[in-house]
């Protein structure tokens, strides 16, 4: 077995689709579902918002409004979700979570979206920001592979879960 690591989940999805990897571990999303099969989720991860301490926002439902810019890691599960759900706010896609958080700290956006644990760590690291209560989504993390090519692909699932 060879383990191949990628900087972003979107790259691991592409590797499985292009047959450069047999299986991958990433968030289940309709945009990623084309050309892939997923197992049941093995972990649920909350997607949350980080805002400046002084922001008037107190609930997740208040984020989607005119004039609000939300930074996200491009191609992340929360980017895909927000692309489908946000109607009035602007989504600012950046290369990775660190840049999305830096954009909030620099005042380039009003909100940063991401994995709750990462945002909580950012809020604890340095004053001036806070995580909105609750979550705007649940990320279902699962194993994915290409759909069946006869017995070979069906056995992929059995071998993966029995080891």
């Amino acid at each position: 077995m060879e383990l191949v690591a990628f900087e972003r989940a979107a790259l691991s999805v592409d590797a499985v689709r292009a047959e450069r990897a047999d299986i991958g571990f990433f968030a289940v999303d309709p945009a990623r579902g084309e050309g892939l099969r997923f197992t049941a989720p093995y972990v649920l991860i909350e997607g949350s918002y980080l805002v400046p301490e002084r922001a008037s926002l107190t609930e997740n439902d208040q984020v989607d409004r005119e004039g609000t810019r939300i930074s996200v890691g491009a191609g992340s599960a929360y980017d895909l979700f927000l692309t489908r759900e946000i109607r009035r706010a602007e989504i600012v896609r950046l290369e990775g979570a660190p840049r999305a958080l830096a954009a909030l700290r620099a005042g380039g956006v009003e909100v940063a979206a991401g994995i709750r644990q990462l945002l909580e760590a950012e809020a604890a690291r340095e004053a001036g920001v806070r995580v909105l209560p609750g979550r705007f989504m649940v990320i279902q993390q699962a194993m994915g592979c290409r759909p069946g090519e006869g017995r070979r692909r069906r056995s992929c699932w059995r071998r993966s879960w029995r080891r």
Side-chain angles (χ1 to χ4, degrees), residues 24-29 37-44 139-145 157 160-161:
F25 299 87
F26 31 77
V28 176
D29 187 274
R37 288 179 55 198
F38 293 98
T39 63
Y42 57 83
V43 69
L44 301 176
I139 302 164
Q140 297 181 16
Q141 196 77 10
M143 183 176 72
C145 74
W157 295 110
S160 298
W161 287 105

Side-chain angles (χ1 to χ4, degrees), residues 78-92:
Y78 35 93
D79 177 14
L80 299 174
F81 178 85
L82 293 173
T83 297
R84 286 190 306 276
E85 299 297 322
I86 292 296
R87 299 291 176 246
R88 293 174 292 285
E90 176 187 352
I91 301 171
V92 179

Side-chain angles (χ1 to χ4, degrees), residues 32-158:
R32 291 180 176 163
E34 187 176 327
L36 296 174
R37 288 179 55 198
F38 293 98
T39 63
Y42 57 83
V43 69
L44 301 176
I45 304 167
E46 293 183 321
S48 298
Y49 293 125
L50 186 71
V51 299
E53 189 66 48
R54 64 184 172 3
S56 63
L57 299 169
T58 57
E59 296 179 21
N60 294 311
D61 292 344
Q62 298 170 340
V63 170
D64 189 13
R65 62 184 180 188
E66 296 293 331
T68 300
R69 293 165 297 173
I70 309 166
S71 63
V72 299
S76 64
Y78 35 93
D79 177 14
L80 299 174
F81 178 85
L82 293 173
T83 297
R84 286 190 306 276
E85 299 297 322
I86 292 296
R87 299 291 176 246
R88 293 174 292 285
E90 176 187 352
I91 301 171
V92 179
R93 292 169 183 85
L94 300 167
E95 188 69 28
R99 289 192 177 148
L101 297 175
L104 178 72
R105 292 262 186 209
V109 298
E110 291 72 37
V111 178
I115 296 170
R116 183 169 200 81
Q117 291 87 340
L118 176 68
L119 301 182
E120 287 174 341
E122 178 70 9
R125 186 178 64 81
E126 194 174 325
V129 293
R130 61 185 165 82
V131 179
L132 291 183
R135 62 185 184 228
F136 68 85
M137 72 172 298
V138 174
I139 302 164
Q140 297 181 16
Q141 196 77 10
M143 183 176 72
C145 74
R146 292 174 307 281
E149 293 175 12
R151 287 182 89 76
R152 183 173 167 261
R153 288 290 172 243
R154 283 194 302 274
S155 64
C156 160
W157 295 110
R158 289 188 204 108

